[in-house]
Amino acid sequence: MLICAATNNQGKLKELRRILEAQGHEVKSLKELDIHIDPEENGETFAENAFIKAEAICKACGFATVADDSGLCVDALSGAPGVYSARYAGEHGNDDANNEKLLGALQGVAREKRTAQFVSAVCFMLPDGRHLTCEGQCPGWVSPDYRPGDYGFGYDPIFVPDGVGMPDGTVRPNTEERSYSQLTPDEKDAISHRGRAMKKLQMMLPLFLNG
Ligand code: IMP
């Protein structure tokens, strides 16, 4: 199926594209479609914001659209930055400033209290307005120092997931405590919040489209 990946975030686009293509879909980005709208994300939940983005972009492109709204919810910060993850430090999408602010907010917090969840809501929207939203989560903790790797974006260098995806689809404990940035794309997609939300979407899509 032809699907528009409704995001201006290049890190997310890369992941959405590889997950959707692995599921057999043809993906078009906003850039490829020459669409330059950036709807205001004024929802209070990830699901509301994913819906806002999917609806606006689907109207603009006229075919099936998938939007993701995601963020990092830190337990010691009562769930912050949450839906404000992209603009935690003020300026939208400034990953370095966001990471610095988060490390500062957790300064002195012990390892066992640094637990957090990455959350993703993905909304699949059809031009007739029918839509399906799925959510995925990935538990882990926020490292006190940077663990840079070859991959990723956003909070990836400071987020350490509890599990690592295996080629057979199972998950093993992340005993070596690698950050999201230090996982290969396949390892991340198998356990990531976005990978899990997209897997649910893939499972529910046939019934949604034919039901
Ligand atoms: P939004 O969904 O466009 O509002 O932005 C979500 C923000 O959450 C991004 O700007 C990143 O800072 C962060 N984020 C979402 N998913 C990931 C991920 O997989 N790795 C690292 N950061 C992420």
Side-chain angles (χ1 to χ4, degrees):
M1 175 185 282
L2 178 63
I3 295 180
C4 169
T7 181
N8 289 306
N9 178 318
Q10 292 311 303
K12 254 197 223 180
L13 174 63
K14 214 168 160 182
E15 291 193 7
L16 281 177
R17 185 187 283 284
R18 76 177 179 236
I19 295 170
L20 283 165
E21 285 179 353
Q23 294 176 355
H25 301 292
E26 185 188 342
V27 177
K28 291 281 179 203
S29 67
L30 295 179
K31 196 169 169 203
E32 285 165 337
L33 296 168
D34 209 17
I35 292 175
H36 300 279
I37 49 175
D38 199 1
E40 195 188 347
E41 298 172 29
N42 51 13
E44 286 178 9
T45 63
F46 294 110
E48 278 172 26
N49 282 336
F51 174 85
I52 290 169
K53 287 187 261 192
E55 187 184 44
I57 304 292
C58 187
K59 268 194 191 132
C61 75
F63 57 91
T65 297
V66 168
D68 155 288
D69 196 70
S70 45
L72 184 58
C73 304
V74 180
D75 297 324
L77 304 176
S78 308
V83 291
Y84 303 106
S85 291
R87 52 202 142 124
Y88 184 45
E91 185 196 340
H92 190 100
N94 187 335
D95 293 341
D96 292 340
N98 288 338
N99 284 331
E100 279 298 303
K101 181 167 176 185
L102 184 56
L103 290 180
L106 291 175
Q107 201 160 18
V109 177
R111 156 75 181 85
E112 62 278 9
K113 295 207 169 123
R114 303 179 73 92
T115 51
Q117 280 69 235
F118 252 120
V119 180
S120 161
V122 290
C123 181
F124 175 85
M125 177 74 62
L126 291 170
D128 65 8
R130 283 186 299 144
H131 59 279
L132 174 63
T133 303
C134 295
E135 218 170 274
Q137 301 205 354
C138 178
W141 56 283
V142 180
S143 166
D145 43 30
Y146 287 94
R147 299 178 184 211
D150 294 336
Y151 307 99
F153 66 101
Y155 297 94
D156 278 357
I158 58 170
F159 179 74
V160 181
D162 289 342
V164 175
M166 300 290 284
D168 65 359
T170 57
V171 178
R172 67 161 175 82
N174 183 10
T175 44
E176 64 280 23
E177 301 191 333
R178 279 186 289 156
S179 70
Y180 253 1
S181 284
Q182 294 170 331
L183 302 185
T184 64
D186 282 348
E187 284 173 330
K188 181 177 176 187
D189 292 347
I191 50 104
S192 80
H193 50 307
R194 188 166 300 106
R196 286 177 166 151
M198 293 296 290
K199 201 168 286 171
K200 278 191 203 163
L201 184 68
Q202 183 188 25
M203 285 189 322
M204 293 174 74
L205 214 47
L207 189 63
F208 172 76
L209 292 171
N210 302 317

